[in-house]
Amino acid sequence: MSAIGKALATAAMGLALMTTASQAEEMRIALVVKALGIGFFEAANKGAEEAAKELGDVKIIYTGPTDTTAEGQIEVINSLIAQKVDAIAVSANDTDALVPTLKKAMDRGITVISWDSGVAAEGRQMHLNPSSSALIGNMIIKLAADNLPEGGDVAVLSATTTSTNQNTWIEEMNKVAGNYPSVKVVGTVYGDDLADKSYREAQGLMQTYPDLKAIIAPTSVGIVAAAQAVTDAGKVGQVNVTGLGLPSEMAGHVKSGASKSFAIWNPIDLGYSATMLAYHLAKKDAEAKPGASILIGRMGSVTLDDKNEAAMADPFVYDSSNIDQFSSIF
């Protein structure tokens, strides 16, 4: 082989080794959602991809079950353990059921955090709440009360009976219900974050409580389904739908009057923040312990409390005055 040929071969081998090393150093962070096909989580994935691009050495694995079950998530997580991913960031369908599987992941050196909907402390290193649970609980009942000057019956349409975040928000809502004495919470039903079941549950609420004035749905799937059920029942103006939803999915219902207002944090920011946290913990640039302050890129930083939990931001209210501004974003 000529000197030039040897030089080219050496260069090619060096490039191949560099590429292999680069691939080996790439961190794989799995964003595990409650179920695929939900707009909120797809928006969160956009934020995760933004963080990955900013960090430069991260690959996002966006995954989840096809339905909102703990069993489905356990199957997904076991697959990720087998793939030896570097970090798992999960929005849990069940507080406790995922713990044994996530402990197995941590035992094998995988960084585990929960976000949005948490798992029990022994099943993760930290949890990122999208906002303060107390603020969210107050917000969802306040949104109903603000549009009921004369008071009335309201009901809750939640996700699953085991959904950590939903249950916590409803618990916080009930704690402050006395601050809104004209509003009476008459019942809670569960749509399992399935559009068709949530629609039927909303129909059932209107039939069971003929004097119902509002439906509070702290779930992006449930709020859309409830608004459609109110529209189809011809009760726009009689039953107000509020809670937590995406501007892109709720714009039409705000304009129709089925929803006077609703709230949500930016899910893009949430996915971005969860990815940043998982990255720094996996890199060991930060440690998940009470009082720790962890940088989350353009979102600044979060500080962990005595439960190794942190909150990202306050919920933001959307109504007819600003819905067009945000509906094309998420």
Side-chain angles (χ1 to χ4, degrees):
M1 182 182 292
S2 68
I4 294 176
K6 289 181 178 178
L8 290 173
T10 301
M13 183 178 294
L15 180 61
L17 289 171
M18 288 174 63
T19 301
T20 302
S22 174
Q23 290 173 343
E25 292 172 3
E26 186 177 60
M27 181 181 292
R28 293 177 299 156
I29 299 177
L31 196 71
V32 181
V33 299
K34 290 183 176 182
L36 298 175
I38 295 177
F40 178 89
F41 293 117
E42 290 172 356
N45 185 43
K46 290 181 181 179
E49 291 290 354
E50 177 193 344
K53 184 177 180 181
E54 184 178 319
L55 292 165
D57 59 347
V58 172
K59 177 183 178 182
I60 299 297
I61 301 172
Y62 178 67
T63 185
T66 55
D67 53 11
T68 52
T69 63
E71 293 77 12
Q73 285 191 315
I74 289 169
E75 184 177 346
V76 167
I77 293 166
N78 275 323
S79 175
L80 293 169
I81 293 171
Q83 295 174 50
K84 299 180 180 180
V85 298
D86 298 286
I88 294 172
V90 58
S91 176
N93 283 325
D94 190 289
T95 310
D96 301 310
L98 304 186
V99 168
T101 309
L102 291 173
K103 286 178 71 175
K104 180 171 70 173
M106 290 189 288
D107 288 343
R108 298 189 182 184
I110 298 173
T111 295
V112 175
I113 72 167
S114 56
W115 59 283
D116 178 50
S117 183
V119 295
E122 59 269 27
R124 45 76 174 172
Q125 288 161 256
M126 67 157 291
H127 173 65
L128 177 65
N129 288 301
S131 179
S132 158
S133 295
L135 288 174
I136 296 169
N138 181 70
M139 175 65 75
I140 57 178
I141 193 166
K142 183 178 184 297
L143 287 169
D146 284 350
N147 290 286
L148 289 174
E150 297 179 2
D153 293 347
V154 305
V156 177
L157 169 60
S158 187
T160 65
T161 57
T162 58
S163 183
T164 314
N165 54 352
Q166 304 280 313
N167 290 338
T168 301
W169 298 335
I170 294 168
E171 181 182 339
E172 293 293 339
M173 181 195 78
N174 289 330
K175 286 180 183 178
V176 298
N179 296 338
Y180 308 94
S182 63
V183 172
K184 180 182 178 184
V185 180
V186 294
T188 299
V189 295
Y190 301 90
D192 292 345
D193 259 355
L194 299 173
D196 55 348
K197 185 176 181 183
S198 297
Y199 180 89
R200 293 194 301 272
E201 293 290 350
Q203 286 180 316
L205 286 173
M206 289 184 284
Q207 293 166 1
T208 303
Y209 307 103
D211 295 327
L212 194 67
K213 299 298 182 185
I215 296 175
I216 300 171
T219 152
S220 62
V221 175
I223 194 172
V224 174
Q228 190 60 55
V230 166
T231 300
D232 293 347
K235 291 194 173 185
V236 171
Q238 299 175 48
V239 179
N240 176 43
V241 177
T242 190
L244 304 176
L246 297 178
S248 60
E249 297 178 347
M250 287 298 293
H253 295 301
V254 169
K255 292 175 182 178
S256 75
S259 177
K260 300 294 184 184
S261 61
F262 64 97
I264 198 69
W265 40 89
N266 188 327
I268 295 173
D269 290 346
L270 186 56
Y272 174 94
S273 300
T275 301
M276 284 288 181
L277 288 167
Y279 176 84
H280 288 302
L281 291 175
K283 280 279 189 181
K284 302 192 184 307
D285 296 338
E287 184 180 354
K289 61 181 182 180
S293 179
I294 305 176
L295 295 174
I296 49 174
R298 62 172 172 78
M299 295 298 293
S301 64
V302 294
T303 301
L304 302 187
D305 63 14
D306 58 359
K307 297 180 180 178
N308 273 5
E309 296 185 9
M312 188 185 70
D314 294 340
F316 183 81
V317 176
Y318 302 87
D319 55 25
S320 60
S321 70
N322 61 16
I323 191 67
D324 287 335
Q325 178 184 350
F326 295 97
S327 61
S328 62
I329 301 174
F330 63 91

